[in-house]
Amino acid sequence: MIMTVREVQDSILKIKKEKKICILAHAYQSQDIWEVADYIGDSFGLSQMASQAEADTILMCGVRFMAETVKILSPEKKVILANPSAGCPMAEQMDFDIMEQLKSEMSDYTVAAYINTTAELKQLCDVCVTSSSAVKIIRNIDNDKILFIPDCNLGDWIAKQVPEKHIELVRGGCPTHLRINQRDIDKARKLYPEALMLVHPECHPSVVAQADFVGSTTEIMDYAAKGKNSSYIIGTENSIVEHLQFSCPDKKFIPLSKDCVCHNMKATTLIDVYNCVCGTGGEEILMSDTLIENSRKCIDEMLRLGK
Ligand code: 13P
Ligand code: SF4
């Protein structure tokens, strides 16, 4: 039987209501998935939502560390990752043993981790941050010495805004955002001189330095939706360009780079979501009580300091 996109969406909406499934979608998911989600947000918003959601089953349309975060915050719930192959290369960049060694050598430092880390690695961290909460949280940490992992680009951006702290960085980053380069900026500025350039702090510092606004995915969307300018160059995953075109059809949105596509975020399809609500797809996230307990401390600390 052939189904249209709208028929698949209608079936998902019906089944999720019957089965009391809450669908969470990261902002980088495609528009057809957005339309069936109960909540759409950036990494910080999704974590807050995960700790409050009332449904017994939560379906995460995003990448693995996001589903793990939901499970850590709501261990009693059944948490499903819509597409098991959707990982985040940055979250898997740091080795547990190297991190353990670093932590013992720098015992007077507070270890702050971008939430894009595995649950295993979170066990070694004191506090998590997201791109929208990072500056506030780092400022609120009761220690001047911070070891920030794994994204040195986000870390550099934080360090420039919190100069009163000594922030040590490790070499890691998002392969998707690092594809944006100077040629992309020169080309976009030349073709669209009137447009404002909005970028994510996961971009290289040389890109961030030339932006008119720097923020998380939802901060970029809010800025563009509320701003008076009629055109915006978007320097983050290109699904944000698509979403902005739907929400503000009278404005013009230009991707800073055609290559800024996260293939992991794009791995999840509407059919994956359909199969998950039907009970035939996805992967249930299972974690030991010890892993949940140990990795939860730094997420709770993030929610406390980020309030
Ligand atoms: P935010 O959701 O914090 O904007 O981060 C973007 C991202 O790369 C998520 O993986
Ligand atoms: Fe990971 Fe970058 Fe993709 Fe986000 S955009 S999931 S940080 S690879």
Side-chain angles (χ1 to χ4, degrees):
M1 182 189 57
I2 296 172
M3 288 170 91
T4 65
V5 170
R6 190 173 301 175
E7 283 165 347
V8 176
Q9 288 178 319
D10 287 344
S11 302
I12 294 171
L13 292 172
K14 186 168 166 278
I15 302 168
K16 75 162 189 177
K17 203 170 168 194
E18 283 163 10
K19 294 192 177 173
K20 296 193 173 59
I21 299 172
C22 169
I23 302 180
L24 301 183
H26 186 266
Y28 291 160
Q29 296 296 296
S30 52
Q31 186 71 25
D32 52 355
I33 294 178
W34 269 39
E35 290 172 4
V36 296
D38 294 282
Y39 179 80
I40 303 152
D42 62 12
S43 305
F44 191 67
L46 289 174
S47 333
Q48 281 182 317
M49 213 48 213
S51 59
Q52 293 158 14
E54 278 170 15
D56 295 334
T57 303
I58 299 181
L59 177 57
M60 170 55 77
C61 304
V63 290
R64 184 169 292 270
F65 79 82
M66 295 176 175
E68 285 181 350
T69 306
V70 177
K71 185 68 185 172
I72 294 165
L73 288 168
S74 299
E76 71 292 352
K77 296 191 174 134
K78 182 173 179 177
V79 178
I80 298 166
L81 175 62
N83 185 317
S85 76
C88 166
M90 169 154 63
E92 287 146 27
Q93 266 162 7
M94 274 211 81
D95 180 79
F96 185 89
D97 295 336
I98 294 174
M99 186 59 214
E100 205 167 32
Q101 165 92 23
L102 208 57
K103 195 174 155 74
S104 71
E105 285 167 14
M106 301 174 76
S107 55
D108 51 340
Y109 279 69
T110 294
V111 180
Y114 195 15
I115 198 161
N116 300 36
T117 41
T118 59
E120 193 198 20
L121 206 64
K122 283 188 175 81
Q123 298 180 97
L124 298 173
C125 302
D126 300 306
V127 60
C128 275
V129 306
T130 67
S131 49
S132 59
S133 62
V135 170
K136 184 176 182 185
I137 290 173
I138 299 291
R139 270 197 195 117
N140 285 344
I141 292 173
D142 191 18
N143 186 356
D144 288 345
K145 291 178 170 178
I146 314 280
L147 170 62
F148 186 78
I149 63 157
D151 186 351
C152 60
N153 302 310
L154 176 66
D156 180 88
W157 180 68
I158 300 166
K160 286 185 175 123
Q161 288 171 87
V162 194
E164 66 274 22
K165 302 259 180 192
H166 176 76
I167 303 180
E168 283 290 336
L169 306 174
V170 294
R171 199 182 294 175
C174 164
T176 304
H177 286 85
L178 282 173
R179 287 189 207 122
I180 298 176
N181 59 39
Q182 188 60 44
R183 258 176 297 135
D184 297 321
I185 300 179
D186 294 343
K187 194 173 161 196
R189 289 288 200 202
K190 194 170 171 210
L191 285 173
Y192 308 99
E194 72 298 339
L196 291 177
M197 189 171 99
L198 321 182
V199 313
H200 196 281
E202 284 176 18
C203 293
H204 190 272
S206 61
V207 172
V208 169
Q210 297 173 70
D212 297 302
F213 175 78
V214 184
S216 74
T217 48
T218 44
E219 286 169 340
I220 287 177
M221 284 189 289
D222 282 352
Y223 187 97
K226 290 178 189 148
K228 288 197 169 63
N229 228 53
S230 59
S231 55
Y232 298 87
I233 299 161
I234 305 297
T236 189
E237 214 281 337
N238 286 344
S239 50
I240 299 302
V241 176
E242 183 197 8
H243 300 313
L244 281 167
Q245 277 161 350
F246 273 96
S247 57
C248 312
D250 298 336
K251 292 182 179 176
K252 188 172 175 63
F253 303 100
I254 305 112
L256 180 49
S257 163
K258 275 186 273 183
D259 294 327
C260 198
V261 174
C262 175
H263 300 293
N264 281 281
M265 282 286 182
K266 289 286 162 295
T268 305
T269 64
L270 187 69
I271 294 297
D272 289 332
V273 182
Y274 175 74
N275 288 336
C276 287
V277 294
C278 291
T280 57
E283 177 188 322
E284 180 174 358
I285 301 292
L286 300 170
M287 293 163 76
S288 71
D289 292 347
T290 316
L291 180 56
I292 290 178
E293 198 184 319
N294 291 344
S295 54
R296 179 166 181 147
K297 290 176 200 136
C298 63
I299 301 175
D300 280 342
E301 192 60 356
M302 169 184 85
L303 295 171
R304 188 181 73 80
L305 293 176
K307 257 187 203 145

